Amino acid sequence: MVKLIALYRMPADVEAFEQHYTHIHIPLVEKIPGIRKTEWTRFLASPQGAAPYYMMYEMYFDSKESYQAAMKSEENKIAGQDLLSFAKDIVTLMVAETYEDEIRR
Amino acid sequence: MVKLIALYRMPADVEAFEQHYTHIHIPLVEKIPGIRKTEWTRFLASPQGAAPYYMMYEMYFDSKESYQAAMKSEENKIAGQDLLSFAKDIVTLMVAETYEDEIRR
């Protein structure tokens, strides 16, 4: 699968960030076509010390083609503009190919 | 679920890194008890420019308890020592709680 990853550093105002993220941003993201699965990650700590990121949100697509179609959609344009409005300075976006492996023992 | 995330920056010698990672490190990691699922991510690019990381490897556990038991295992100690031997300067480890959401349209 292909996934779009948003890594967030610690917001200056955590409460305002959480409010906007949960009530405005996620509903906009969920309208983007072609997203098969999302995974929301809250960092607890790092074995090396404080985690360098606050949270991560991953959006999974079936293929590069469906990812590219999603990026061109009007819904993505709106979600992207919203992202820049509240998280421009703390977000890192990356695109990746991803491979899952269920481990059975 | 709880996951342990290893984020890798670009290795100085990609080929040597890949050889060690694939043939030595992953077989050691797969012996750690309690891992339910792994996900291996290769970054392609960032919509913001070059991706700040080379790859990511995630290990999923059922609970904080099984994660903590895994961290105390002999298998984890061996895999951890191996990690430091070839990737000490480029790896960032983080622990997180994670929530998946299947999107059905």
Side-chain angles (χ1 to χ4, degrees):
Chain A
M1 294 183 91
V2 168
K3 68 178 175 183
L4 176 61
I5 301 159
L7 263 172
Y8 294 87
R9 289 182 293 280
M10 179 65 71
D13 182 338
V14 169
E15 199 178 325
F17 174 87
E18 290 287 345
Q19 284 294 323
H20 189 108
Y21 188 81
T22 308
H23 299 298
I24 298 172
H25 189 62
I26 288 299
L28 292 175
V29 167
E30 286 178 344
K31 288 184 182 149
I32 299 171
I35 298 179
R36 280 285 164 221
K37 187 180 83 167
T38 63
E39 190 174 317
W40 182 59
T41 295
R42 292 198 160 265
F43 299 113
L44 298 171
S46 162
Q48 297 166 312
Y53 294 101
Y54 176 64
M55 66 176 211
M56 176 164 69
Y57 190 80
E58 296 167 290
M59 294 141 274
Y60 290 75
F61 299 86
D62 287 336
S63 63
K64 275 193 199 178
E65 290 69 28
S66 68
Y67 162 75
Q68 285 162 349
M71 291 303 99
K72 287 178 189 155
S73 69
E74 191 59 32
E75 293 87 346
N76 183 61
K77 200 175 293 178
I78 293 167
Q81 283 168 350
D82 178 64
L83 181 68
L84 294 180
S85 79
F86 77 102
K88 185 171 185 264
D89 297 333
I90 60 168
V91 70
T92 300
L93 294 172
M94 295 189 286
V95 187
E97 278 186 297
T98 192
Y99 310 89
E100 279 193 24
D101 189 15
E102 301 285 335
I103 293 184
R104 290 175 191 84
R105 289 171 203 276
Chain B
M1 296 182 91
V2 168
K3 67 179 176 183
L4 176 61
I5 301 160
L7 264 171
Y8 295 87
R9 289 182 292 282
M10 180 64 72
D13 182 338
V14 170
E15 200 179 323
F17 174 88
E18 291 285 346
Q19 285 294 323
H20 189 108
Y21 189 81
T22 308
H23 299 297
I24 298 171
H25 189 62
I26 288 298
L28 292 176
V29 167
E30 286 177 345
K31 288 182 181 148
I32 299 171
I35 298 178
R36 282 286 164 219
K37 188 180 82 168
T38 63
E39 190 173 318
W40 183 58
T41 295
R42 292 199 160 264
F43 298 113
L44 298 171
S46 163
Q48 298 165 313
Y53 293 101
Y54 177 63
M55 66 176 210
M56 175 164 70
Y57 190 79
E58 296 167 291
M59 293 141 276
Y60 290 74
F61 299 86
D62 286 336
S63 64
K64 275 193 198 178
E65 290 69 28
S66 69
Y67 162 74
Q68 284 162 350
M71 291 302 100
K72 288 179 188 154
S73 69
E74 192 59 31
E75 293 87 347
N76 183 61
K77 201 175 291 178
I78 294 167
Q81 283 168 351
D82 178 63
L83 181 67
L84 294 179
S85 79
F86 78 102
K88 186 172 183 263
D89 297 333
I90 58 168
V91 70
T92 299
L93 294 172
M94 295 190 286
V95 188
E97 278 186 297
T98 191
Y99 309 89
E100 279 196 22
D101 190 16
E102 301 284 337
I103 294 185
R104 290 175 189 85
R105 290 168 201 277

